[in-house]
Amino acid sequence: MGLKGLVFAVILGIGGCQEPDYYMSREEVVAMRERVREMFYHGYNNYLEFAFPHDELKPISGTHTDSLAELGNAKRRKDSTYQGVAMTLIDSLDTLAVLGNKGMGSRVERWMGAPGAGCGGLWWSETEFARAVTWVVENISFDQDVRVNLFEANIRLLGGLLSAHNLAGDKDLDLMPDYDGELLELGWL
């Protein structure tokens, strides 16, 4: 197992590693890990339900914002046609992989479509990571005339694409066996 595989196994608490000396019991560690998963999916599922494919969820109003363009301008241009690039989804790709998800929630089924119903041949056996990567590759274009905040674009979009590319293409992790560098190409354009 390579270094990335070992780090991945330690994060998920799997593998043949010797149990570390925690200040908490193993049960407390597992309970905390599950609480972190619950908190992540609470935010992720609400983003999918109320804001997808826009950039971000406004949690109090339950609406969305296309913040990448808003952050780059003191005032939003009236002639802007920017409709978002699913920035939160792209930013969440690596977290989906690290959490090792295998199941799908009903909210996710709504935005991705039912299996075989025009959703690019995706099947239930795929992880949410694989489904989200496939959606991003097939639906996102950065060929837009919009002023953006360079810092946000670098850390959330480019960082999300690069980390997801590394995880998807890692043969030891085998998260997406048929992955062929599409996220790297998307980040390059």
Side-chain angles (χ1 to χ4, degrees), residues 1-11 14 17 173:
M1 175 182 313
L3 179 60
K4 282 191 260 181
L6 179 61
V7 170
F8 202 68
V10 169
I11 289 171
I14 58 177
C17 299
L173 296 177

Side-chain angles (χ1 to χ4, degrees), residues 37-112:
R37 284 179 203 248
E38 289 171 12
M39 290 188 310
F40 171 79
Y41 282 111
H42 172 77
Y44 182 75
N45 287 335
N46 279 293
Y47 164 72
L48 292 178
E49 183 170 349
F50 298 109
F52 179 83
H54 296 277
D55 286 339
E56 294 181 307
L57 170 66
K58 290 181 163 183
I60 295 174
S61 66
T63 60
H64 67 270
T65 180
D66 291 319
S67 59
L68 186 62
E70 292 169 4
L71 290 169
N73 298 287
K75 251 172 116 176
R76 185 156 180 149
R77 294 179 12 202
K78 294 185 189 299
D79 62 340
S80 176
T81 58
Y82 178 73
Q83 295 291 311
V85 290
M87 185 164 54
T88 295
L89 179 67
I90 293 170
D91 196 20
S92 300
L93 292 173
D94 55 351
T95 304
L96 289 168
V98 169
L99 289 178
N101 64 319
K102 300 294 181 195
M104 315 308 291
S106 60
R107 294 177 184 171
V108 177
E109 293 166 20
R110 276 204 304 266
W111 73 266
M112 286 297 214

Side-chain angles (χ1 to χ4, degrees), residues 6-187:
L6 179 61
V7 170
F8 202 68
V10 169
I11 289 171
L12 294 177
I14 58 177
C17 299
Q18 194 174 20
E19 188 167 337
D21 184 23
Y22 288 110
Y23 293 103
M24 296 180 278
S25 70
R26 180 76 174 150
E27 293 77 24
E28 291 172 312
V29 170
V30 170
M32 289 185 89
R33 183 173 52 223
E34 290 310 308
R35 180 70 179 128
V36 168
R37 284 179 203 248
E38 289 171 12
M39 290 188 310
F40 171 79
Y41 282 111
H42 172 77
Y44 182 75
N45 287 335
N46 279 293
Y47 164 72
L48 292 178
E49 183 170 349
F50 298 109
F52 179 83
H54 296 277
D55 286 339
E56 294 181 307
L57 170 66
K58 290 181 163 183
I60 295 174
S61 66
T63 60
H64 67 270
T65 180
D66 291 319
S67 59
L68 186 62
E70 292 169 4
L71 290 169
N73 298 287
K75 251 172 116 176
R76 185 156 180 149
R77 294 179 12 202
K78 294 185 189 299
D79 62 340
S80 176
T81 58
Y82 178 73
Q83 295 291 311
V85 290
M87 185 164 54
T88 295
L89 179 67
I90 293 170
D91 196 20
S92 300
L93 292 173
D94 55 351
T95 304
L96 289 168
V98 169
L99 289 178
N101 64 319
K102 300 294 181 195
M104 315 308 291
S106 60
R107 294 177 184 171
V108 177
E109 293 166 20
R110 276 204 304 266
W111 73 266
M112 286 297 214
C119 61
L122 302 177
W123 301 99
W124 292 108
S125 61
E126 290 186 316
T127 65
E128 175 60 10
F129 172 73
R131 288 170 60 110
V133 165
T134 302
W135 188 91
V136 167
V137 167
E138 292 177 354
N139 294 283
I140 294 298
S141 170
F142 296 111
D143 187 15
Q144 301 186 41
D145 185 17
V146 61
R147 288 180 52 191
V148 300
N149 180 295
L150 185 61
F151 178 74
E152 289 293 317
N154 279 335
I155 63 167
R156 297 193 62 198
L157 295 174
L158 190 56
L161 292 170
L162 289 173
S163 61
H165 163 74
N166 281 332
L167 291 164
D170 190 305
K171 300 302 179 198
D172 292 332
L173 296 177
D174 197 31
L175 295 173
M176 293 183 69
D178 296 331
Y179 178 74
D180 195 27
E182 296 91 346
L183 292 172
L184 190 60
E185 292 174 21
L186 187 61

